Amino acid sequence: MTDFENLRHSSAHLLAAAVTSLWPEALPTIGPVIENGFYYDFDNLTVSETDFPKIEAEMKKIVKDWKSFEKIEIDAKDAENTFKENPYKLELIEDLSDKEEKITLYKSGDFLDLCSGGHIEDPKEIKYFKLLSVAGAYWRGSEKNKMLTRIYGTAFPTQKELDEYLEQRALAEESDHRKIGKDLNLFVFSDLVGKGLPLLTPKGSVIRRELERFVVDEELKRGYQHVYTPSLAKTELFKTSGHYPYYKETMYPVMKVDEDELILRPMTCPHHFMLYKSAPRSYKELPIKLAEIAPQFRYEKSGELSGLMRVRTFILSDSHIFATKEQATEIIKDVIDLINFLNGKLGFEVGKDYRFRLSLGKRDDEKKFYKDDKAWDFAEKVLRDVLKDIDAPFFEAPGEAAFYGPKIDVQMKKVNGTEETAFTVQYDFVMPKRFELKYINEKGEEVEPIVIHRASIGAFERSMAFIIEKYKGNFPTWLTPVQVKVLPITDRNLDYANRVAKILRDNNIRVEVDERNETLGAKIRNAQNEKVAYMLIVGDKEEKSDAVSERGRSGKDYGVHPLEKFVEDIKKEIEEKSIN
Amino acid sequence: MTDFENLRHSSAHLLAAAVTSLWPEALPTIGPVIENGFYYDFDNLTVSETDFPKIEAEMKKIVKDWKSFEKIEIDAKDAENTFKENPYKLELIEDLSDKEEKITLYKSGDFLDLCSGGHIEDPKEIKYFKLLSVAGAYWRGSEKNKMLTRIYGTAFPTQKELDEYLEQRALAEESDHRKIGKDLNLFVFSDLVGKGLPLLTPKGSVIRRELERFVVDEELKRGYQHVYTPSLAKTELFKTSGHYPYYKETMYPVMKVDEDELILRPMTCPHHFMLYKSAPRSYKELPIKLAEIAPQFRYEKSGELSGLMRVRTFILSDSHIFATKEQATEIIKDVIDLINFLNGKLGFEVGKDYRFRLSLGKRDDEKKFYKDDKAWDFAEKVLRDVLKDIDAPFFEAPGEAAFYGPKIDVQMKKVNGTEETAFTVQYDFVMPKRFELKYINEKGEEVEPIVIHRASIGAFERSMAFIIEKYKGNFPTWLTPVQVKVLPITDRNLDYANRVAKILRDNNIRVEVDERNETLGAKIRNAQNEKVAYMLIVGDKEEKSDAVSERGRSGKDYGVHPLEKFVEDIKKEIEEKSIN
């Protein structure tokens, strides 16, 4: 990407020149290079994507007269005079004059801009560019400042590279879970409800429910004990845990009612600690693995919200494992195995779709990391040894640990190629002290357990976003909201279609009948747009023989089968959670 | 009960006489008759139930010297003088002197009390009495006042009646869900988490999860569409619905963050309305039955909290049905059928364990009931006709409707014989107007649907309380936290016991092995105390023939069976959700 920086920076100049030529009242502010392109922010400008052809044409026209990027060094005073009608540039000049003696400008054609340099030699090379989108952005990124108009664009040295990039971008846009979620009617937002608070529709809720039951059932099988604890607690609880000062920024405000001060929880751990503490514990019971489908509340800034990926309340597949130090290795191994199993079933392959990050502490940074060198050494070794032992793909990240111990982060690869921490396995030797957690060991002594905090598929909202993007809405059958759509060829076959649907429904298959008075072609197209897993076409021929004509969502014709056989096959596919 | 009022009121005098005789510094305040007994509140008194024998002995001693209850009428001034050392009595005298010219006192033996009368003739009849419990209570019921010590007692004309009552009371106490919940470790409370915020243990969570899946699966079968919506929303949403001023008293306070004002929801309806409004709706789609296992938040006063019966956040089996007026009758019928089905499966019989209350509006009370006589007449007729048509046990309650329409309340009978509204089916013709809900009718016109709000088993917390009390912890097998306990006779049989457990676990049966080095008798007693559904005793004989010796939780011996047969039988029992 670095190779293209000068080209893209130069393109930003050209964009500003074209915009101010077309709309002389527009005030250019800043225009940096970003990943895969550039943008320029303007005040006093109202444009939409429909204006892009006009702006692009103006850019092409202007660049013809540009010979070079000419560097000009002047005094701050002169610079202020040059930009006296643009308060944004004046603010930048003021900042610069604190640090530099001279202010640098660059001139190309008639266009002059405040700029520290980094251009291509020949402006004629700005040939293969494209404006991409327009958005609002606060001046200097602060909500307290004015909202400006940001135009995004990109540029490449060749048409081929530009085309390839635009194609890849279109693909990424197509698999954006926000777009698919809207097209398939999986979730909606409401201004009256609030930002970052998604409402799952009946269809989106099918995916959520199937995921939840899948995770709970598998965890129960593996000895986890699922519990239900309240979404809120007295502020005191989070002061004891230390979350209150530490997470305060993203915690919802305290609610004072009568004698109590309550707060929505940003974490489940303190609640599970209270359950652990509600009875005396013996080494014979350990490890105790409390798990919960746990509602959590964090107030993300509105600029950080994004569909289901980042929300203001989410449900985590959470767990806290109370154990002896000696059990730590085995437990971490089991946890990673569970993570690989669950994610594998969902189609996410370790090493391909995600890898692990071993986040370590720093012994000398006592502010950021709890001081206990021996505990850190031990815990870090446990985590590293497990990752090595099972040959897991991972890298180390010194200084990325939590205050209370090292952790293994699950790093999920996104469609756009970037990596995101999906969730975490946390070794904790601090909270047990804070909450005075104890168990009786074999010698009858009261000692402290360790705690492993872990998610297994992360927040359900975010998992759904990853799943939607991965499958582009073509979900495995067990997760597909409408698994079968029955399409009667004529109204004559409506009764049979409904009989077929009833049999499927009795077998716990999610089915709909397209009863509309439409052509079969229209019904098929509609079912494909809805991305149902299977279409069953039923006409006179099928009706006579208790059969169905089966098609996949891609349109593939699987031929005519006895209904019984179809039911058997799809039940097996759902039962096995097959990916195909 | 009224027959005993004079006796019990007289007993309260005697209690106060005994207490002040034993603890002269104690200040008697008031001592009324209540259902099934009486109490007396004292300031400056610290007693516990261990003091009861002493107090009762003193009462028996004092009453020997009492000849009668002598009425004395004096001026307020003289009364004030008489009680000059008791500020509580002085406060009462002040109130009385506003209304009455003379103040009435009653004297028996040496004991003089402020009292308006209602005694037995001969104090010697106070013979069959019993002190029951001690509790804290605020002076005049207000949290702003001082906490006093309240002693509860009861009295009967005969020993037989007293004995019968005490026996019934012991039974009720035994089936108190708070006691059973503690004994069976189903839920706990934590001071750090807060009042009214129960934490379900792994065992209690089994019941909750089974109930939830049962309700969701049945509702899905019946065409409900389950959704997930957030626990909070902008205050504006509840201002639109009108909940904000109306429910404000029990709503949590507004949380101001950045640009938003958010609040925890006391109701799910506005969220479901937003989902309904997220797409244009046609008459062809109606009825639309949105349902949710919905977290709700209401701030109950601490004095009103009671175990799982009344909490500060709960999960409701909620639904909102959007329909045409013409569909109302059919829908109400279906809803009542669902309620009877779900509750029947849980062992609650309509007519025996619960009945219906038809809560009606009043046409002339426009403040309490939305003014629309025609809509009220129609809706009330729909509800009444359905109840009559299906021959449901119900009674009418004029003036008990909600502001926005008449409702059918499900009145559950509690163990102590009182009746409590468990949940409600609400006909609503007001909210659709407020939220401008619409659908396109057959003529292509935009018209307003009606909304039926309904629960199906109510709040899960409260349902659990009812279920715990009904079964006294001896739950139907499908709801039993530990369904099977395997008891090896000797350590020799431990391997086989674990093999048996594995086979059960693989069949999704919740099983534990008692691996302790205890006698079989001790293991059986322990399993019975834990109220597991079945005990499987395995010794050498059973091991040789892949068999188990089966016992019910009552201790009943079902004999030796092949393990296979036991698995088959219990799976069938669980599958059918049998009650036995």
Side-chain angles (χ1 to χ4, degrees):
Chain A
M1 192 193 90
T2 318
D3 296 352
F4 306 156
E5 269 189 14
N6 289 349
L7 171 65
R8 286 168 182 166
H9 179 194
S10 306
S11 305
H13 278 257
L14 183 57
L15 169 60
V19 166
T20 48
S21 159
L22 290 167
W23 294 277
E25 71 284 8
L27 293 174
T29 66
I30 55 162
V33 169
I34 53 168
E35 199 183 352
N36 294 323
F38 62 88
Y39 67 77
Y40 212 112
D41 286 350
F42 302 90
D43 191 12
N44 253 346
L45 177 69
T46 311
V47 291
S48 74
E49 296 193 12
T50 56
D51 296 309
F52 286 179
K54 188 164 75 178
I55 302 172
E56 285 166 351
E58 185 70 13
M59 287 167 76
K60 281 182 181 150
K61 197 178 107 194
I62 287 173
V63 81
K64 282 184 191 154
D65 298 330
W66 283 14
K67 308 285 179 234
S68 68
F69 289 92
E70 184 192 341
K71 182 174 182 176
I72 300 170
E73 289 195 311
I74 55 174
D75 289 339
K77 269 239 163 107
D78 292 338
E80 280 169 12
N81 197 40
T82 306
F83 293 102
K84 64 177 184 287
E85 278 160 19
N86 186 327
Y88 300 96
K89 297 288 183 190
L90 291 177
E91 197 178 318
L92 295 172
I93 292 165
E94 201 187 323
D95 290 355
L96 285 169
S97 59
D98 289 348
K99 287 173 274 174
E100 317 278 341
E101 267 189 36
K102 291 281 182 184
I103 303 292
T104 319
L105 312 183
Y106 276 85
K107 191 176 183 205
S108 35
D110 295 335
F111 186 73
L112 189 68
D113 205 354
L114 189 69
C115 168
S116 59
H119 303 98
I120 46 175
E121 297 257 317
D122 182 2
K124 297 283 178 302
E125 284 172 25
I126 316 177
K127 217 167 158 183
Y128 310 108
F129 62 84
K130 182 100 186 117
L131 300 184
L132 298 171
S133 61
V134 59
Y138 293 108
W139 168 240
R140 299 197 139 180
S142 165
E143 289 174 32
K144 285 171 194 150
N145 294 333
K146 197 170 174 194
M147 175 83 84
L148 307 173
T149 298
R150 174 172 296 176
I151 299 175
Y152 288 95
T154 194
F156 284 85
T158 64
Q159 184 69 42
K160 187 166 168 280
E161 282 163 294
L162 176 62
D163 286 348
E164 275 170 12
Y165 170 73
L166 291 176
E167 196 178 331
Q168 186 210 318
R169 190 172 174 272
L171 273 174
E173 249 175 25
E174 284 219 335
S175 60
D176 188 318
H177 79 278
R178 291 167 298 186
K179 184 184 179 309
I180 297 169
K182 202 174 169 180
D183 290 349
L184 295 185
N185 190 21
L186 300 177
F187 57 91
V188 297
F189 286 92
S190 149
D191 285 344
L192 259 182
V193 172
K195 286 179 204 148
L197 299 172
L199 297 92
L200 301 193
T201 63
K203 284 188 177 168
S205 297
V206 167
I207 302 177
R208 165 79 155 74
R209 183 172 56 249
E210 290 290 344
L211 283 177
E212 180 176 322
R213 291 192 179 188
F214 168 52
V215 170
V216 171
D217 288 347
E218 185 61 31
E219 293 187 350
L220 289 174
K221 258 186 220 157
R222 293 180 183 231
Y224 285 88
Q225 301 187 300
H226 268 267
V227 299
Y228 295 87
T229 62
S231 292
L232 69 179
K234 277 156 82 173
T235 317
E236 219 182 318
L237 184 68
F238 299 101
K239 283 181 181 161
T240 306
S241 69
H243 286 116
Y244 189 60
Y246 190 69
Y247 278 89
K248 202 177 166 219
E249 228 174 82
T250 53
M251 280 175 83
Y252 282 80
V254 168
M255 292 174 284
K256 287 187 192 179
V257 235
D258 297 350
E259 73 270 44
D260 291 331
E261 276 199 4
L262 294 159
I263 195 162
L264 287 168
R265 69 172 170 197
M267 294 281 194
T268 328
C269 14
H271 282 96
H272 288 186
F273 296 164
M274 292 300 105
L275 270 175
Y276 179 87
K277 276 175 78 108
S278 71
R281 304 294 179 177
S282 148
Y283 71 96
K284 289 180 200 156
E285 294 171 78
L286 300 189
I288 291 174
K289 310 198 271 184
L290 297 182
E292 183 168 1
I293 302 301
Q296 300 187 356
F297 300 80
R298 297 189 200 162
Y299 199 85
E300 306 280 353
K301 289 213 180 88
S302 60
E304 284 165 12
L305 299 171
S306 167
L308 296 181
M309 202 61 94
R310 206 168 273 275
V311 291
R312 282 179 172 170
T313 167
F314 56 92
I315 315 285
L316 191 68
S317 65
D318 210 354
S319 172
H320 296 90
I321 304 172
F322 303 84
T324 69
K325 258 173 72 173
E326 293 68 36
Q327 292 169 331
T329 299
E330 206 49 39
I331 286 167
I332 298 289
K333 211 177 269 182
D334 283 352
V335 166
I336 302 285
D337 185 68
L338 173 66
I339 289 171
N340 287 340
F341 175 82
L342 292 176
N343 287 281
K345 272 282 182 191
L346 294 172
F348 296 99
E349 266 178 63
V350 60
K352 191 176 147 235
D353 297 298
Y354 65 95
R355 58 178 180 160
F356 300 104
R357 179 174 78 178
L358 176 57
S359 293
L360 306 166
K362 281 182 176 160
R363 302 291 176 274
D364 50 354
D365 190 345
E366 294 183 27
K367 262 195 188 157
K368 217 176 145 192
F369 304 107
Y370 183 81
K371 189 64 185 167
D372 186 340
D373 290 0
K374 251 176 78 180
W376 279 98
D377 289 346
F378 179 84
E380 290 182 355
K381 188 170 157 27
V382 165
L383 299 187
R384 187 184 290 109
D385 285 355
V386 168
L387 289 171
K388 280 185 177 168
D389 190 35
I390 62 171
D391 214 14
F394 79 103
F395 65 103
E396 306 205 352
E400 288 290 330
F403 176 74
Y404 36 96
K407 61 194 175 101
I408 295 172
D409 298 310
V410 176
Q411 301 292 109
M412 196 65 86
K413 207 179 270 172
K414 291 178 68 177
V415 176
N416 64 13
T418 61
E419 205 175 76
E420 175 136 9
T421 300
F423 57 92
T424 284
V425 180
Q426 171 77 54
Y427 191 115
D428 179 359
F429 43 75
V430 178
M431 289 290 169
K433 261 185 251 308
R434 288 217 171 135
F435 280 92
E436 298 177 335
L437 306 183
K438 299 286 176 211
Y439 71 92
I440 305 293
N441 70 10
E442 279 156 297
K443 295 176 203 153
E445 301 156 343
E446 215 181 48
V447 290
E448 207 176 85
I450 58 148
V451 170
I452 310 290
H453 310 235
R454 58 111 275 224
S456 56
I457 66 162
F460 283 91
E461 291 77 5
R462 186 175 280 199
S463 297
M464 280 180 67
F466 282 125
I467 290 168
I468 293 170
E469 300 203 343
K470 179 179 181 65
Y471 292 101
K472 299 187 181 61
N474 298 303
F475 305 113
T477 302
W478 70 281
L479 284 177
T480 303
V482 178
Q483 294 168 319
V484 176
K485 196 123 183 177
V486 186
L487 314 181
I489 296 180
T490 69
D491 277 359
R492 232 182 9 256
N493 312 114
L494 205 53
D495 274 356
Y496 179 59
N498 280 313
R499 246 165 32 235
V500 167
K502 187 178 178 319
I503 288 168
L504 292 172
R505 213 168 277 130
D506 288 347
N507 278 281
N508 292 317
I509 295 157
R510 295 182 292 270
V511 57
E512 283 181 0
V513 178
D514 189 341
E515 297 195 342
R516 298 172 310 154
N517 190 9
E518 294 279 355
T519 65
L520 183 61
K523 287 179 183 178
I524 290 175
R525 271 193 305 282
N526 179 61
Q528 281 187 294
N529 286 340
E530 288 181 4
K531 301 189 191 257
V532 304
Y534 294 99
M535 295 172 253
L536 296 184
I537 299 165
V538 294
D540 296 345
K541 199 180 66 179
E542 285 80 10
E543 187 164 348
K544 253 175 228 142
S545 54
D546 275 335
V548 292
S549 175
E550 178 190 342
R551 285 203 192 197
R553 68 183 117 203
S554 63
K556 192 178 166 185
D557 191 342
Y558 291 106
V560 178
H561 302 295
L563 174 60
E564 243 174 75
K565 183 183 166 358
F566 174 77
V567 172
E568 209 175 283
D569 290 350
I570 193 173
K571 274 178 79 171
K572 189 157 173 274
E573 189 186 338
I574 293 168
E575 174 74 20
E576 291 174 357
K577 300 191 164 51
S578 315
I579 297 165
N580 48 4
Chain B
M1 192 196 87
T2 319
D3 295 352
F4 305 156
E5 268 187 15
N6 288 350
L7 171 64
R8 287 170 181 166
H9 179 196
S10 306
S11 305
H13 277 257
L14 183 56
L15 168 61
V19 166
T20 49
S21 158
L22 290 167
W23 294 277
E25 71 283 7
L27 294 174
T29 66
I30 55 162
V33 169
I34 52 168
E35 198 183 354
N36 295 322
F38 61 89
Y39 67 77
Y40 211 111
D41 287 349
F42 302 90
D43 192 11
N44 254 345
L45 177 69
T46 311
V47 290
S48 74
E49 294 192 13
T50 56
D51 296 309
F52 286 180
K54 188 164 77 180
I55 303 172
E56 284 165 354
E58 185 71 13
M59 287 167 76
K60 281 182 180 152
K61 197 178 109 195
I62 287 174
V63 79
K64 283 183 192 156
D65 297 331
W66 284 14
K67 309 285 179 234
S68 68
F69 290 91
E70 183 192 343
K71 183 174 180 177
I72 302 171
E73 289 195 311
I74 56 175
D75 288 339
K77 268 241 166 104
D78 292 337
E80 280 168 14
N81 198 40
T82 308
F83 292 101
K84 64 176 180 293
E85 276 157 25
N86 186 326
Y88 301 95
K89 297 287 184 191
L90 290 177
E91 198 179 317
L92 295 172
I93 292 165
E94 201 187 325
D95 291 355
L96 284 170
S97 60
D98 289 348
K99 287 173 273 173
E100 315 281 340
E101 264 189 42
K102 291 280 182 185
I103 304 292
T104 319
L105 311 183
Y106 275 85
K107 193 176 180 201
S108 35
D110 296 335
F111 186 74
L112 190 66
D113 205 353
L114 190 68
C115 170
S116 59
H119 302 96
I120 47 175
E121 297 257 319
D122 182 2
K124 299 281 178 304
E125 285 171 26
I126 315 177
K127 216 169 161 182
Y128 310 108
F129 62 85
K130 181 102 186 117
L131 299 184
L132 298 171
S133 61
V134 60
Y138 294 106
W139 167 240
R140 297 197 142 180
S142 164
E143 288 174 35
K144 286 172 194 149
N145 293 335
K146 198 169 174 193
M147 175 82 86
L148 307 173
T149 299
R150 174 172 297 176
I151 299 176
Y152 289 95
T154 193
F156 284 85
T158 65
Q159 186 69 41
K160 187 166 169 277
E161 281 162 294
L162 176 62
D163 287 348
E164 275 170 9
Y165 170 74
L166 292 176
E167 195 177 334
Q168 185 211 317
R169 190 172 173 272
L171 273 175
E173 247 174 27
E174 286 224 331
S175 59
D176 188 316
H177 79 278
R178 291 167 300 184
K179 185 185 181 307
I180 297 169
K182 204 173 167 181
D183 291 349
L184 296 184
N185 189 22
L186 301 177
F187 58 91
V188 298
F189 287 92
S190 150
D191 285 343
L192 260 182
V193 171
K195 286 179 206 148
L197 299 172
L199 296 92
L200 301 192
T201 64
K203 284 187 179 170
S205 297
V206 167
I207 302 177
R208 164 79 153 72
R209 184 172 56 250
E210 291 289 346
L211 282 177
E212 180 177 322
R213 291 190 180 188
F214 167 52
V215 170
V216 171
D217 288 346
E218 184 61 30
E219 293 187 351
L220 288 174
K221 257 185 224 159
R222 292 180 183 231
Y224 285 88
Q225 302 186 300
H226 268 268
V227 297
Y228 296 87
T229 61
S231 292
L232 68 180
K234 279 155 82 173
T235 317
E236 218 182 318
L237 184 68
F238 299 102
K239 284 182 181 160
T240 306
S241 69
H243 287 115
Y244 189 60
Y246 190 69
Y247 277 91
K248 203 176 165 220
E249 230 174 83
T250 53
M251 279 174 85
Y252 282 80
V254 169
M255 293 175 283
K256 288 189 191 177
V257 236
D258 298 349
E259 73 272 42
D260 291 332
E261 275 201 4
L262 294 159
I263 196 161
L264 288 168
R265 69 173 171 197
M267 294 281 195
T268 330
C269 16
H271 282 95
H272 288 187
F273 296 164
M274 292 299 106
L275 270 176
Y276 178 86
K277 275 175 79 107
S278 71
R281 304 293 180 180
S282 147
Y283 72 95
K284 288 180 201 158
E285 294 171 78
L286 300 189
I288 291 174
K289 311 199 269 184
L290 296 181
E292 184 168 1
I293 304 301
Q296 301 189 355
F297 300 79
R298 296 189 200 162
Y299 199 84
E300 306 280 355
K301 288 215 182 89
S302 60
E304 284 165 12
L305 298 171
S306 167
L308 296 181
M309 202 63 95
R310 205 168 275 271
V311 291
R312 282 179 173 171
T313 166
F314 57 91
I315 314 283
L316 191 68
S317 65
D318 209 356
S319 171
H320 296 89
I321 303 171
F322 304 85
T324 69
K325 259 174 72 173
E326 292 69 34
Q327 293 169 329
T329 298
E330 205 50 36
I331 286 168
I332 299 288
K333 210 177 268 183
D334 282 353
V335 165
I336 301 285
D337 184 68
L338 173 67
I339 289 171
N340 287 341
F341 175 82
L342 292 176
N343 287 283
K345 272 282 182 190
L346 295 171
F348 296 99
E349 265 177 63
V350 59
K352 190 176 147 237
D353 297 297
Y354 65 95
R355 58 176 180 161
F356 300 103
R357 180 175 76 179
L358 176 58
S359 292
L360 306 166
K362 282 183 175 160
R363 303 290 176 275
D364 51 352
D365 190 345
E366 295 184 26
K367 264 194 187 159
K368 217 177 147 193
F369 304 106
Y370 183 82
K371 188 66 186 168
D372 184 342
D373 289 0
K374 250 177 80 182
W376 279 98
D377 288 345
F378 180 83
E380 289 181 356
K381 185 169 161 25
V382 165
L383 300 188
R384 187 184 290 109
D385 284 355
V386 168
L387 289 171
K388 280 187 178 166
D389 189 36
I390 62 172
D391 214 13
F394 78 103
F395 65 102
E396 305 205 356
E400 288 292 329
F403 176 73
Y404 35 96
K407 60 195 176 96
I408 296 173
D409 298 310
V410 175
Q411 301 293 108
M412 196 65 85
K413 207 178 269 173
K414 289 178 70 177
V415 176
N416 64 12
T418 61
E419 205 175 73
E420 174 137 9
T421 300
F423 56 92
T424 284
V425 179
Q426 171 76 54
Y427 191 114
D428 178 359
F429 42 76
V430 178
M431 289 290 167
K433 259 185 252 304
R434 288 218 171 135
F435 280 92
E436 298 177 336
L437 305 183
K438 300 286 176 210
Y439 70 92
I440 304 294
N441 71 9
E442 278 156 298
K443 295 178 203 152
E445 300 156 341
E446 216 181 48
V447 291
E448 207 175 84
I450 60 148
V451 170
I452 309 291
H453 310 236
R454 59 113 271 229
S456 56
I457 67 162
F460 283 92
E461 291 78 4
R462 184 175 283 197
S463 296
M464 280 179 68
F466 281 126
I467 290 168
I468 293 169
E469 301 203 340
K470 178 177 182 68
Y471 292 101
K472 298 185 182 62
N474 298 303
F475 305 113
T477 302
W478 70 281
L479 283 177
T480 303
V482 178
Q483 293 168 320
V484 176
K485 196 124 183 176
V486 186
L487 314 180
I489 295 180
T490 70
D491 278 359
R492 235 185 2 260
N493 312 114
L494 206 51
D495 276 355
Y496 178 60
N498 280 311
R499 263 191 346 261
V500 167
K502 190 182 175 316
I503 288 167
L504 291 171
R505 212 168 277 130
D506 289 346
N507 279 281
N508 293 318
I509 294 156
R510 295 182 292 268
V511 58
E512 282 180 3
V513 178
D514 189 340
E515 298 194 342
R516 298 171 310 153
N517 189 10
E518 295 278 359
T519 64
L520 183 62
K523 287 180 183 179
I524 290 175
R525 271 192 305 282
N526 179 61
Q528 282 187 293
N529 286 340
E530 288 180 4
K531 302 192 190 251
V532 305
Y534 293 99
M535 295 172 253
L536 297 184
I537 299 165
V538 293
D540 296 344
K541 199 182 65 181
E542 285 80 10
E543 188 165 348
K544 254 176 228 144
S545 54
D546 277 334
V548 291
S549 175
E550 178 191 341
R551 284 202 193 197
R553 67 184 118 206
S554 63
K556 190 178 168 188
D557 191 343
Y558 291 107
V560 178
H561 303 293
L563 174 60
E564 244 174 75
K565 184 184 167 351
F566 173 77
V567 172
E568 208 175 285
D569 288 351
I570 193 175
K571 274 179 78 171
K572 188 157 173 274
E573 190 186 336
I574 292 168
E575 173 74 22
E576 290 174 357
K577 300 189 163 58
S578 315
I579 298 165
N580 46 2

